[in-house]
Amino acid sequence: MLARHQDPIAAIATAPGRGAVGIVRVSGRGLGALVQALCGRDLKPREATYLPFRDADGSAIDHGLALYFPAPHSFTGEDVLELQAHGGPVVLQLLLARCLAAAAETDPTRSAPRLPGLRVAQPGEFSERAFLNDKIDLAQAEAIADLIDASTEAAARSASRSLSGAFSAEIHGLRDALIHLRMLVEATLDFPEEEIDFLRQADAQGQLDRLQATLGAVLGHARQGALLREGIKVVIAGQPNAGKSSLLNALAGAELAIVTPIAGTTRDVVQQTIQIDGVPLHVVDTAGLRESHLPGVDAVEQIGIERAWGQIESADAVLFLHDLTRLIAPDYRAEDDRITLGLAEKVAKNVPVVHVWNKCDAAGAAPAPADGLVLSAKAGTGLEALRRRLLELAGWQGATEGLYIARERHVQALRRVRAHLDQAQAQLSARVPLLDLLAEELRLAQNALNDITGEFTPDDLLGVIFSRFCIGK
């Protein structure tokens, strides 16, 4: 643990600005003297007390509620003092400054500072203390930030489940099964003279099969949870006046982008996050794509076109919007073909490009191509089919009940676990298994799981071996 983790910390714990209530929080060891200086009395643990918060001269900075949580029964695992005052920024700054000053003052009962080293907390440091003191694991700590940052109701509910430990419980279940399997392999390696085939008798193959099946389910849930948290970036691309801005407005349900019949109206990127079935989609409207040498394309529009291609290159999905009313125009078709070549060059192979045929309400009897979706951004026709298609592209499976939030790093860690288990399966299935390599793959799989929760103690496996096997036999 770093030296700074021993310091007592204090901070304003509520958002900047005015509000009905604001909170100043202090965490550290031995807060009793500071409590006396600020509140003028001792506080009963976990009981709200209404009183004045005292300045150095004894005058009241404010009146409010004080709560004291002695260690280890607090969020951080240390002593915690919370001062709930009126939510004015000046009042809260005065309270924070008083906490810092009172901590540095000499305590007359012991001729020493009341709380040496008290400093303003760094971002996220209270949650970091909770993790370091084993009050929450790393996945739960991340869920706190995810709950705050949730952009949809489904994401908020899923983050709350992760914070309560739902995701961590599944990871711990995988880890425990993996440790048991490692125990069998290590015992076979360490005690060959016993002539006991631990792996065969304990059905190691069956255990590994079940472990892989469970991992597959957890990985599927994690991918859905990561989607709820991060969503996907959808870029709308196409020629000028194809209806890109109208489509953004229709999907968002608001007039976000300016729509005119003048080519080149959109000259910069316009982005809006929408939600479909609780999944956040970051929809980006871009400048119309056309050759820079064409009449009417000035320097500003050219910059917009360059930015449009930049957005396309970083997209998770591209909606290539076509104008059905100009479908048979040779110049329009030629420009669409040029854009198609550009998309093939700049868009990654795993990024889907969906052809969307717009203005079906004005196209009359013009036949639409068989591929893609047909809609009218103006009339709203076909929008629901596009929304369903976007969810399909995102990989959404349509169920939020019981889902927990996850991050891309969790998904990547679980994929590493799967890769190591696949290697372990190959070793175990070999005619002559190489148990050293099997044990190493299982160890690496456990390390990848520990990356998710932030746990790694080499003594874990040793403790399980000694507790479950009669070594002295």
Side-chain angles (χ1 to χ4, degrees):
M1 186 177 292
L2 300 177
R4 69 178 182 85
H5 295 146
Q6 308 295 331
D7 296 341
I9 53 175
I12 297 172
T14 41
R18 297 181 179 180
V21 177
I23 298 174
V24 173
R25 178 181 293 155
V26 182
S27 179
R29 295 176 176 84
L31 301 188
L34 183 64
V35 171
Q36 278 281 353
L38 296 172
C39 303
R41 53 175 290 185
D42 291 329
L43 298 176
K44 292 183 178 180
R46 296 173 296 280
E47 183 176 298
T49 305
Y50 179 76
L51 42 70
F53 304 134
R54 300 292 183 184
D55 208 342
D57 59 4
S59 62
I61 298 174
D62 194 7
H63 289 71
L65 296 177
L67 294 99
Y68 175 57
F69 303 89
H73 305 295
S74 69
F75 173 69
T76 64
E78 303 170 337
D79 291 346
V80 171
L81 173 66
E82 285 194 357
L83 306 178
Q84 299 184 6
H86 293 94
V90 174
V91 172
L92 296 177
Q93 287 292 344
L94 286 172
L95 272 179
L96 178 60
R98 177 56 189 149
C99 288
L100 297 171
E105 293 170 357
T106 300
D107 180 5
T109 63
R110 54 192 183 95
S111 300
R114 291 191 178 96
L115 191 60
L118 180 67
R119 59 175 174 79
V120 176
Q122 297 179 9
E125 197 167 2
F126 286 97
S127 297
E128 183 184 34
R129 293 288 175 92
F131 166 66
L132 292 172
N133 292 321
D134 295 324
K135 304 299 290 187
I136 55 176
D137 63 30
L138 194 56
Q140 289 174 295
E142 290 170 312
I144 296 172
D146 294 336
L147 182 59
I148 294 170
D149 295 337
S151 59
T152 68
E153 179 183 345
R157 292 186 182 277
S158 298
S160 181
R161 293 187 194 101
S162 286
L163 180 56
S164 68
F167 182 38
S168 300
E170 295 209 6
I171 299 302
H172 291 155
L174 281 170
R175 185 200 61 185
D176 291 344
L178 185 53
I179 288 175
H180 186 267
L181 185 54
R182 285 189 63 195
M183 172 188 65
L184 297 172
V185 176
E186 296 287 348
T188 304
L189 283 170
D190 290 342
F191 304 105
E193 67 277 4
E194 294 288 327
E195 297 181 357
I196 298 174
D197 187 354
F198 286 102
L199 302 184
R200 178 177 55 81
Q201 291 187 1
D203 187 25
Q205 183 67 63
Q207 289 190 43
L208 183 55
D209 291 342
R210 290 189 292 273
L211 188 57
Q212 288 182 300
T214 303
L215 174 64
V218 174
L219 181 56
H221 292 158
R223 280 196 294 256
Q224 295 295 289
L227 182 60
L228 271 184
R229 177 185 182 271
E230 299 169 5
I232 64 169
K233 178 180 178 180
V234 179
V235 175
I236 306 174
Q239 294 189 51
N241 282 350
K244 299 182 297 299
S245 298
S246 296
L247 181 56
L248 172 66
N249 292 342
L251 288 172
E255 296 296 319
L256 301 174
I258 299 173
V259 177
T260 75
I262 302 173
T265 298
T266 301
R267 297 189 169 208
D268 205 350
V269 172
V270 180
Q271 179 171 322
Q272 178 67 22
T273 297
I274 66 172
Q275 61 167 305
I276 304 175
D277 289 358
V279 178
L281 300 178
H282 313 293
V283 183
V284 181
D285 177 26
T286 59
L289 302 176
R290 56 177 174 171
E291 292 280 17
S292 59
H293 65 269
L294 293 175
V297 179
D298 56 23
V300 176
E301 185 180 352
Q302 178 59 33
I303 294 173
I305 293 171
E306 291 173 358
R307 290 184 178 181
W309 282 112
Q311 292 292 324
I312 289 168
E313 288 178 345
S314 63
D316 296 311
V318 176
L319 300 182
F320 186 2
L321 201 63
H322 307 272
D323 184 349
L324 275 173
T325 64
R326 293 183 283 168
L327 189 60
I328 60 175
D331 290 347
Y332 181 82
R333 292 180 66 90
E335 189 65 18
D336 256 13
D337 291 341
R338 188 188 66 81
I339 294 173
T340 299
L341 293 175
L343 291 174
E345 178 183 340
K346 295 181 181 296
V347 176
K349 299 298 182 184
N350 62 332
V351 174
V353 176
V354 179
H355 293 270
V356 180
W357 306 93
N358 190 28
K359 303 184 183 180
C360 66
D361 56 324
D371 63 326
L373 298 170
V374 178
L375 56 78
S376 168
K378 181 178 180 180
T381 307
L383 284 180
E384 187 58 28
L386 176 59
R387 293 188 180 99
R388 295 303 107 193
R389 179 64 174 141
L390 289 174
L391 287 180
E392 180 184 333
L393 293 175
W396 183 241
Q397 296 176 0
T400 61
E401 190 63 31
L403 200 63
Y404 42 73
I405 207 76
R407 299 188 173 200
E408 185 58 30
R409 80 167 191 92
H410 302 151
V411 175
Q412 294 302 323
L414 290 169
R415 285 174 176 160
R416 293 200 306 275
V417 176
R418 182 173 62 184
H420 290 306
L421 291 186
D422 287 344
Q423 290 296 319
Q425 184 72 266
Q427 288 297 333
L428 194 56
S429 302
R431 190 164 59 89
V432 181
L434 298 177
L435 297 186
D436 286 337
L437 295 181
L438 172 60
E440 178 63 9
E441 293 297 341
L442 295 178
R443 184 188 69 83
L444 292 173
Q446 185 183 344
N447 285 351
L449 282 178
N450 288 335
D451 285 346
I452 296 175
T453 56
E455 301 171 63
F456 184 77
T457 50
D459 290 336
D460 283 354
L461 178 61
L462 189 61
V464 171
I465 291 177
F466 278 97
S467 64
R468 296 196 180 185
F469 276 82
C470 183
I471 300 296
K473 183 177 179 181

